[in-house]
Amino acid sequence: MQSILIVGAGFAGAVHARQLAEAGYRCQVIDRRSHIAGNAFDEVLPNGIRVHRYGPHLFHTNNKGVVDWLQRFTEFVPYEHRVEALLADGRTLPMPINRRTLEGLFKVDLPTAAEAEQFLHSLAVPMEAPSNAAEYLLSQIGPDLTDLFFRPYTKKMWELDLEELDTSVVKRIPIRFDDEDRYFPNDQYQFMFKGGYTAAFERILDHPLISVDIGREFSKSMLKDYHYCFNSMPIDEYFDFTFGPLPYRSIRFHHRDVPAEEGAGTATTINFTDAGPRTRETDWSRIPDHLVHRTGRKTLTQEEPCDYVDNNMERYYPVKTSDGRYQAVYEKYKALAEKTNECGFIGRCGTYQYLDMHQVINQSLKHVNDWIERQK
């Protein structure tokens, strides 16, 4: 029986391990952290609130195949995420922008979606081919909304101006002309994992051919003991930063234990539009199955972006610039990886991509199933 080494116990590693084990491969999963589940790791605090240690993870997708695969390991709790933006005057408005956002901000009456679309079009600055995030936003919503909702937030989040960021960074955020205020309005499946993500990972990794060793660092000397390695570690680190480090943004989390009735707005997450260091606040008690025990208390978590080197090397978000300079560096590492017969790179840090949960699951299923087929 061939043995496979899997580096990382997040979604990429766990999906690979489960599929390989079911195909008859013995899998050793290691992770440098002290827990499984990667950035989706969650835990229940003493005040009875379930929190995600590395920030809110909200499952949403149109991919039924991913949902069907997950149903083997977890039940689902329906949840549709909503976000509001906190203004300087203390009001909160729906985010992403919709008809109510426009009415509340500009003090106008827009009875229909068509009128809201026409109004927003009047604010926009026409551009044929936006080359960066700033130009894209200006072409869609104009300077006032760009400067209020995106420019300060982006500077805090990325430590870059909108003009320096790729359009893909902001294209992920929808713009609506009706009253739709769900953050993911176009996704058919939106839910949380009943009992939390960590419990689901325990079930995914519960197989006689899977062994898990947490708190263990990867070393290239391990490779000789395995037929192959699927590796989700940072690809630049694996190759000893030959072409220089790939930049990531990280997040410092600030938790507050407060009375259950405290909190601004009505949405789960509040985005801050000011120039202060923090980007948003999440009220975990508003997410289903996250108020586990009633204690009269709850947790509010604020996020403060920073460089990953200033946060214990915790890499969260690859940096995508409008000139593609970091992507070009990644392509050099990718070329090195393609010459490596003993190791394949997976997941967010292995492929230098920002991936939602459903995307990394789908990518991992395809990748590992294709690999298994090639071995036959």
Side-chain angles (χ1 to χ4, degrees), residues 123-127 133-143 146 151:
L123 302 177
V125 179
M127 294 187 191
E135 290 182 357
Y136 173 79
L137 289 170
L138 290 171
S139 73
Q140 299 296 307
I141 61 176
T146 295
R151 196 169 290 281

Side-chain angles (χ1 to χ4, degrees), residues 206-225:
D206 183 14
H207 190 283
L209 294 181
I210 298 176
S211 299
V212 179
D213 194 356
I214 58 175
R216 186 178 180 188
E217 290 276 356
F218 167 78
S219 169
K220 291 179 185 176
S221 63
M222 298 176 179
L223 296 175
K224 66 181 184 302
D225 298 324

Side-chain angles (χ1 to χ4, degrees), residues 248-285:
Y248 290 82
R249 295 295 284 170
S250 190
I251 303 288
R252 295 190 186 99
F253 297 99
H254 303 272
H255 306 288
R256 291 191 296 137
D257 181 273
V258 301
E261 62 274 11
E262 186 172 323
T266 59
T268 298
T269 297
I270 300 295
N271 283 4
F272 302 138
T273 59
D274 62 14
R278 301 182 183 184
T279 51
R280 60 182 181 176
E281 178 177 83
T282 294
D283 184 341
W284 300 100
S285 69

Side-chain angles (χ1 to χ4, degrees), residues 272-304:
F272 302 138
T273 59
D274 62 14
R278 301 182 183 184
T279 51
R280 60 182 181 176
E281 178 177 83
T282 294
D283 184 341
W284 300 100
S285 69
R286 290 176 173 168
I287 302 177
D289 199 37
H290 282 56
L291 176 55
V292 180
H293 310 295
R294 291 188 180 275
T295 64
R297 310 288 296 180
K298 67 179 181 180
T299 297
L300 302 178
T301 300
Q302 293 189 0
E303 301 181 22
E304 180 185 0

Side-chain angles (χ1 to χ4, degrees), residues 33 35 38-40 52-55 57 157-158 234 247-253 280 303-309 311-319 348-349 352-355:
R33 287 172 169 168
H35 58 76
N39 284 357
H52 308 166
R53 183 179 292 183
Y54 305 98
H57 280 63
M157 181 67 221
W158 299 102
Y248 290 82
R249 295 295 284 170
S250 190
I251 303 288
R252 295 190 186 99
F253 297 99
R280 60 182 181 176
E303 301 181 22
E304 180 185 0
C306 60
D307 192 289
Y308 80 100
V309 299
N311 192 33
N312 198 32
M313 308 303 280
E314 289 284 4
R315 298 166 170 88
Y316 294 163
Y317 302 99
V319 179
R348 178 175 42 87
C349 291
Y352 201 60
Q353 299 178 78
Y354 178 80
L355 298 168

